Amino acid sequence: MKGTTRKRLGDLLVEAGVITNEQLDEALATKNRDEKLGDFLIQENILTEQQLIEVLEFQLGIPHIHLNQYVIEPELIKLVPVELAKRASVMPIRRDKNKLFIAMADPMDYFAIEEVRMATGCQIEVSIAAKDDLYRTITKYYDLQESMDAALSDLGDATIRPETQQEITDDDSPIVRLVNQIIANGIAQRASDIHFDPQETEFRVRYRVDGILRTERSLPKHMQNIITARIKIMGNLNITESRIPQDGRVKMTVNFKPVDIRLATLPTIYGEKIVMRLLDLSYAPNDISQLGFTDMNEALFRNMIKRPNGIVLITGPTGSGKSSTLYAALSNLNDEEVNIITVEDPVEYQLMGINQIQVKEEVGLTFAAGLRSILRQDPDIVMIGEVRDFETAQIAVRASLTGHLVLSTLHTNSAVESISRLQDMGIEPFLLSSSLVGIMAQRLVRRVCRDCTQTIEATEREKAIFADNGLVIETVSRGRGCPSCNQTGYRGRIAIHELLPIDRQLKDYILTSQNIHVIAKYMKEQGYNTLLQDGLIKVAEGVTTTEEVLRVATVE
């Protein structure tokens, strides 16, 4: 290995001026004994993975590569055992006679390099790859491709056969392994949903990552029925019934992490479409300060949920993070001195110390029926998954007027529109003005990738949009695209918010059924930010891009 000197990583980082001696000493004192220094510094936001890679590349003379540019031959996969590849985060990329080129996240892990050398009998040449890039590639080549090949050879060209019962229930069967690997690959790519889409000539697998759907791979059409049957068995669904939609739930552990999966099937003309919603239980939202609020909005929101009674509404379309915000609020309010009961459809995250009810409409347990029963259970705080109809809205208002704090969601485009939506449902203005405490609209936008962010000059159009909203912008942040973000320039999501606390003046407006434009004008006069303005503030901070904000919030 050329140019490799046995210097410690901390010394290299200090020499490169990326961290200070003080930061190094503090990190070494704080981190767990088994935790790698580089991982700890990245986790604590002291440096980015890209900075770490650049220092190692420059100081050690080891090249940095993007694994998606390589087609890796099957014989290389057989050369390095799967257990070693996963444990040491090592990926073989090519072989030249007795020289094996490998990619690693930590090129200073000399024990791992020596292990690969002994396992393969080859001379080792190291290059650096981003951790996520390695994780995705190892999952793709070692697990998914292997399961795919085994399933294809096992099935041949046959469709579902009478003897396939064992193939869809036996843990070691190729089809079971293939489905498990599709799920594991989705989690590795931070997908929120996996779509199994039947087409006329193929069976397509798509992942939704950071709110955007993309096709992962297309499977042969003859695998459709057996994969569908396997997924339905996982969710305890009726595999013989394919004419009506079905819902189910799966709990499994993937890479030592508990994962909760919601299943929904839908009959289409080419077969049953299945959508899996992946809920990573280790990331259950429990802290309001991690929801991406500006300081003003966080103070307003905390003030709303601290009220002893009244209704707090969170609005937005499906997939805008309303449930996560509600769960974070409940975690904040959760205390042994209060009785919190929820009625949800479905229960997404299970919270310790909170009584959660699952709606079951087929046996008559609707939101309204559940809510009526809740009020006889002496609650202090009630959370209703969604206000869908007049009956639910009416009971929620009554509950808030009899001394309960009610948290719920509503499907409207903005905070102001929620008032007219509740009036349209049939709630009297005098009841609404007495019960409403505050409304928050929210959307999710993609974050600029921290590892490949660059600062560029704002366009004239961007400057004009900012000026129209009373803001000034000169430069904006964009992601170039790197292995960490799968070349998209975005990694992760953050919420943008619009908060409307209901004060005495607004209560008068609601009582006299004022037009929503009057309320919107008052909101502006009070200095409350709209969704668009909150998004633009986050663009100015370099967190997201103008395109992302305009994708979810409209220009007035």
Side-chain angles (χ1 to χ4, degrees):
M1 253 172 29
K2 298 192 291 285
T4 306
T5 53
R6 295 215 170 211
K7 267 194 173 180
R8 291 183 311 174
L9 176 62
D11 298 333
L12 290 178
L13 293 170
V14 171
E15 268 176 42
V18 177
I19 63 171
T20 63
N21 270 313
E22 291 75 28
Q23 284 175 317
L24 174 60
D25 293 341
E26 193 182 333
L28 290 170
T30 313
K31 77 178 185 72
N32 295 330
R33 197 173 164 189
D34 302 333
E35 196 173 6
K36 290 188 174 177
L37 177 64
D39 291 347
F40 178 79
L41 292 170
I42 290 166
Q43 193 180 319
E44 294 295 311
N45 288 336
I46 294 168
L47 81 167
T48 66
E49 188 174 17
Q50 195 62 29
Q51 284 175 311
L52 178 63
I53 288 170
E54 282 168 9
V55 169
L56 292 172
E57 186 176 19
F58 178 71
Q59 300 278 18
L60 302 179
I62 297 173
H64 168 218
I65 62 164
H66 295 183
L67 287 170
N68 60 355
Q69 295 169 354
Y70 287 81
V71 175
I72 292 154
E73 301 298 328
E75 58 266 22
L76 285 178
I77 304 299
K78 291 174 188 148
L79 199 59
V80 178
V82 60
E83 183 270 332
L84 173 58
K86 285 184 171 179
R87 180 167 43 80
S89 280
V90 168
M91 188 72 204
I93 47 178
R94 68 185 177 91
R95 187 179 181 180
D96 185 4
K97 295 176 185 159
N98 195 39
K99 203 177 269 188
L100 180 67
F101 293 82
I102 64 170
M104 301 178 73
D106 181 5
M108 299 179 80
D109 188 345
Y110 302 110
F111 294 111
I113 295 167
E114 186 61 19
E115 230 180 315
V116 177
R117 188 186 68 75
M118 290 177 72
T120 60
C122 295
Q123 186 187 336
I124 306 300
E125 283 287 331
V126 177
S127 47
I128 312 169
K131 209 168 182 182
D132 278 359
D133 201 11
L134 271 167
Y135 184 30
R136 274 196 302 268
T137 311
I138 290 168
T139 304
K140 178 180 173 182
Y141 281 98
Y142 276 97
D143 297 333
L144 197 54
Q145 195 57 50
E146 191 184 315
S147 304
M148 177 88 182
D149 294 342
L152 279 169
S153 62
D154 188 58
L155 275 178
D157 285 332
T159 51
I160 196 161
R161 310 182 294 277
E163 66 270 22
T164 49
Q165 184 63 33
Q166 192 175 353
E167 291 178 22
I168 55 179
T169 53
D170 185 355
D171 283 349
D172 289 327
S173 83
I175 282 297
V176 172
R177 288 211 313 271
L178 175 61
V179 171
N180 289 347
Q181 284 310 325
I182 288 171
I183 295 168
N185 196 30
I187 290 164
Q189 299 199 32
R190 299 175 297 104
S192 59
D193 302 84
I194 302 175
H195 290 235
F196 294 84
D197 288 340
Q199 305 293 314
E200 189 173 6
T201 57
E202 62 185 14
F203 190 47
R204 195 185 295 164
V205 179
R206 297 194 291 168
Y207 292 153
R208 187 181 291 282
V209 180
D210 292 338
I212 307 294
L213 262 178
R214 57 181 177 72
T215 301
E216 176 63 20
R217 60 181 53 222
S218 294
L219 302 173
K221 183 71 175 173
H222 68 261
M223 294 179 79
Q224 178 179 317
N225 287 347
I226 193 164
I227 287 175
T228 301
R230 168 59 195 160
I231 294 170
K232 287 168 87 169
I233 276 184
M234 288 170 76
N236 290 321
L237 305 181
N238 182 352
I239 64 169
T240 59
E241 179 56 82
S242 58
R243 298 162 301 168
I244 58 169
Q246 296 185 66
D247 291 314
R249 196 162 197 147
V250 182
K251 275 196 173 177
M252 61 192 293
T253 302
V254 178
N255 292 331
F256 310 109
K257 279 185 186 173
V259 178
D260 202 355
I261 300 170
R262 276 177 18 215
L263 284 182
T265 72
L266 185 74
T268 71
I269 55 170
Y270 296 125
E272 284 180 279
K273 173 181 168 68
I274 298 175
V275 175
M276 288 181 163
R277 165 64 58 90
L278 307 177
L279 299 167
D280 186 342
L281 298 179
S282 60
Y283 287 113
N286 57 13
D287 191 349
I288 289 173
S289 60
Q290 292 175 351
L291 296 176
F293 283 113
T294 59
D295 290 344
M296 181 181 85
N297 282 348
E298 185 176 335
L300 288 172
F301 185 66
R302 284 182 185 276
N303 191 39
M304 281 179 192
I305 63 169
K306 283 286 180 343
R307 298 285 282 274
N309 59 285
I311 298 178
V312 176
L313 289 175
I314 299 174
T315 83
T318 305
S320 59
K322 298 190 299 296
S323 298
S324 299
T325 303
L326 276 178
Y327 283 121
L330 288 178
S331 297
N332 183 263
L333 296 167
N334 194 6
D335 191 304
E336 60 178 30
E337 294 173 4
V338 292
N339 179 20
I340 302 176
I341 308 182
T342 76
V343 52
E344 306 168 61
D345 184 22
V347 173
E348 288 192 17
Y349 293 103
Q350 287 156 18
L351 300 176
M352 194 80 167
I354 289 176
N355 309 287
Q356 294 171 277
I357 300 169
Q358 168 74 54
V359 166
K360 287 192 179 74
E361 296 202 353
E362 63 273 18
V363 294
L365 181 52
T366 59
F367 276 117
L371 196 46
R372 271 199 204 91
S373 306
I374 282 176
L375 296 178
R376 293 194 287 273
Q377 292 285 325
D378 183 33
D380 298 290
I381 298 166
V382 175
M383 192 268 264
I384 310 163
E386 187 187 338
V387 175
R388 291 181 182 170
D389 51 39
F390 169 70
E391 197 179 1
T392 311
Q394 190 180 40
I395 303 165
V397 167
R398 281 186 194 152
S400 72
L401 293 174
T402 51
H404 304 91
L405 177 66
V406 180
L407 306 177
S408 190
T409 70
L410 199 62
H411 285 274
T412 58
N413 290 326
S414 69
V416 175
E417 285 173 38
S418 304
I419 296 167
S420 55
R421 171 64 58 85
L422 289 167
Q423 288 175 340
D424 290 344
M425 278 184 183
I427 303 297
E428 295 290 345
F430 72 91
L431 288 173
L432 208 50
S433 72
S434 308
S435 58
L436 269 182
V437 165
I439 307 168
M440 181 175 85
Q442 82 171 47
R443 302 285 188 281
L444 291 176
V445 292
R446 291 183 291 170
R447 280 178 180 268
V448 173
C449 174
R450 215 165 52 112
D451 286 347
C452 63
T453 183
Q454 58 182 347
T455 304
I456 60 170
E457 194 181 342
T459 63
E460 291 305 316
R461 164 99 172 116
E462 282 177 313
K463 288 176 182 176
I465 292 168
F466 272 77
D468 288 346
N469 286 278
L471 299 163
V472 177
I473 190 87
E474 293 300 328
T475 58
V476 291
S477 296
R478 288 270 189 291
R480 286 188 299 271
C482 68
S484 287
C485 60
N486 212 6
Q487 308 301 326
T488 59
Y490 297 101
R491 182 179 163 82
R493 288 190 288 177
I494 190 169
I496 59 173
H497 306 96
E498 174 180 304
L499 273 91
L500 183 63
I502 307 296
D503 59 19
R504 189 157 292 173
Q505 180 65 62
L506 281 176
K507 285 181 186 291
D508 288 343
Y509 284 154
I510 295 168
L511 196 57
T512 53
S513 300
Q514 290 289 342
N515 189 302
I516 61 169
H517 298 297
V518 174
I519 297 172
K521 187 182 172 201
Y522 177 73
M523 181 181 170
K524 190 176 178 181
E525 286 166 1
Q526 294 300 304
Y528 301 137
N529 289 326
T530 62
L531 277 170
L532 179 64
Q533 287 166 331
D534 193 53
L536 295 179
I537 289 167
K538 290 185 170 86
V539 173
E541 290 169 352
V543 176
T544 187
T545 62
T546 315
E547 293 89 336
E548 274 298 292
V549 173
L550 295 180
R551 184 171 64 82
V552 297
T554 52
V555 179
E556 291 299 318

